[in-house]
Amino acid sequence: MDTRSLVRGVWVFGDYRNYFQNRVTLQLIAKGRELAETLGTGVTVLVLGEVVHQFAMEYIAHGADVVMVAEHPELKCYQVELFTKVIGRWAEAFRPDILLGGATSFGREFFPRLAKRLKTGLSADCMSLEVDPDTGLLVQTSPAFSGNLLAEVVTSHCRPQMATVHPGVFKELPHNVNASGRVVYPEIKVEAEARVRVLRSRRQEARESNLEDAQVVIVGGRGLGSGEQFRLLFELAELLEGEVGATRPAVLAGWANEGRLLGQTGKTVRPRLLISIGTSGALQYTTAIHGAETIIAINRDPHAPIFTMADLGLVGECAAVLPLLLETLRRRM
Ligand SMILES: Cc1cc2nc3c(=O)[nH]c(=O)nc-3n(C[C@H](O)[C@H](O)[C@H](O)COP(=O)(O)OP(=O)(O)OC[C@H]3O[C@@H](n4cnc5c(N)ncnc54)[C@H](O)[C@@H]3O)c2cc1C
């Protein structure tokens, strides 16, 4: 079979590790579909592993035209060298126009290597991806200069046009059992003499927060002042059936673990309601909350930038407002 004729313009790296990583793959397939339709081409998802056929089916049901699979015992565990080589060789052979991946631990590690190998550019942590109708180039919007500016980047001469995107930036398409697509197995060469060998991998036991899917998110920032105050947010989240997120200073203070970090270097959320408490509204944080339907901000400084994006602002001391809020909610439950 001539695989070349099947493999089309927009490629998405299939990170299927767990529920949360898999969601970003589904979100990128949805965005890839939109881009591919504008360019008159299709979406191909790349899946590497030992036995991965079931993921191929899932990706087709979510909008992929083709799933390109590499199955090999050496690919059972992610290894940066092997993944870079396999995908790099495929890209050299099939020449995709666009290559997208999640800004997950995998994407952050091997996409820069891949871009170097393919002698092309890479925009990391993109907030938006659109095709310029005049040039047909992919416009990649990503934070620049420590996140103080949003830069629109185009890769005009080199291919593929590569970008990584945070989980939660795009919305996945619904699962369609009637969708059709092709699964192809192009030839792969897997060197067993990789310099790093994975001896064992173990699942982390810690409970993952369900931030990306939460309908209500309560975010705490430095303004909360102490771990004791921050813990009240978990009570609030429980009453509202939500999840707790944190800004960078709250994570650095040890009030919340890294998995709860929102922002340019953390997670992106799209809840129906987001309550932001003791946060100033720095761009590196607010990039993660633009998708929230309603934002309520609580801050003692009436000029805090967070109020410019809040639907409802409450000027006051956290220590005074939080107990009142909790008491009122408890009475209503
Ligand atoms: C490259 C880069 C990447 C970054 N990535 C991220 C990221 O992913 N996520 C992230 O969060 N940050 C990130 N940052 C840091 C970011 O720039 C901000 O410093 C951070 O978001 C500020 O967090 P904050 O709002 O909690 O704290 P602050 O900016 O210090 O704001 C605290 C707010 O609380 C208010 N306050 C103080 N005391 C009280 C009180 N008693 N009651 C009520 N309000 C009070 C203050 O008025 C203030 O507005 C990044 C920075 C860089 C340079």
Side-chain angles (χ1 to χ4, degrees), residues 122-128 140-144 149-153 164:
L122 166 68
S123 299
D125 303 338
C126 287
M127 311 295 304
S128 140
Q140 309 144 43
T141 308
S142 73
L149 285 175
L150 286 177
E152 290 188 347
V153 180
T164 59

Side-chain angles (χ1 to χ4, degrees), residues 146-147 220-225 246-250 261-266 277-285 298-301 304-306 316-319:
S146 303
R222 195 195 321 254
L224 280 157
T247 60
R248 173 61 73 194
L261 175 68
L262 297 189
Q264 188 187 325
T265 51
I277 308 176
T279 65
S280 57
L283 185 70
Q284 293 89 352
Y285 157 58
I298 302 171
N299 194 308
R300 69 177 176 193
D301 174 7
I306 190 72
E317 290 283 334
C318 298

Side-chain angles (χ1 to χ4, degrees), residues 112-187:
R113 282 173 178 249
L114 200 52
K116 172 80 170 58
R117 185 190 162 115
L118 297 171
K119 297 191 175 66
T120 186
L122 166 68
S123 299
D125 303 338
C126 287
M127 311 295 304
S128 140
L129 297 171
E130 300 299 334
V131 171
D132 181 329
D134 298 327
T135 59
L137 292 172
L138 181 68
V139 181
Q140 309 144 43
T141 308
S142 73
F145 296 103
S146 303
N148 292 316
L149 285 175
L150 286 177
E152 290 188 347
V153 180
V154 290
T155 311
S156 43
H157 301 302
C158 306
R159 289 294 174 272
Q161 302 164 86
M162 287 180 63
T164 59
V165 179
H166 263 280
V169 171
F170 303 126
K171 273 192 178 156
E172 67 193 61
L173 292 168
H175 189 273
N176 175 7
V177 282
N178 299 319
S180 61
R182 300 287 294 267
V183 182
V184 298
Y185 295 80
E187 199 183 321

Side-chain angles (χ1 to χ4, degrees), residues 48-51 70-77 188-190 192:
L48 282 65
E50 191 177 26
V51 183
E71 283 186 335
H72 192 283
E74 287 289 330
L75 297 171
K76 181 177 179 185
C77 293
I188 50 163
K189 198 169 140 224
V190 176

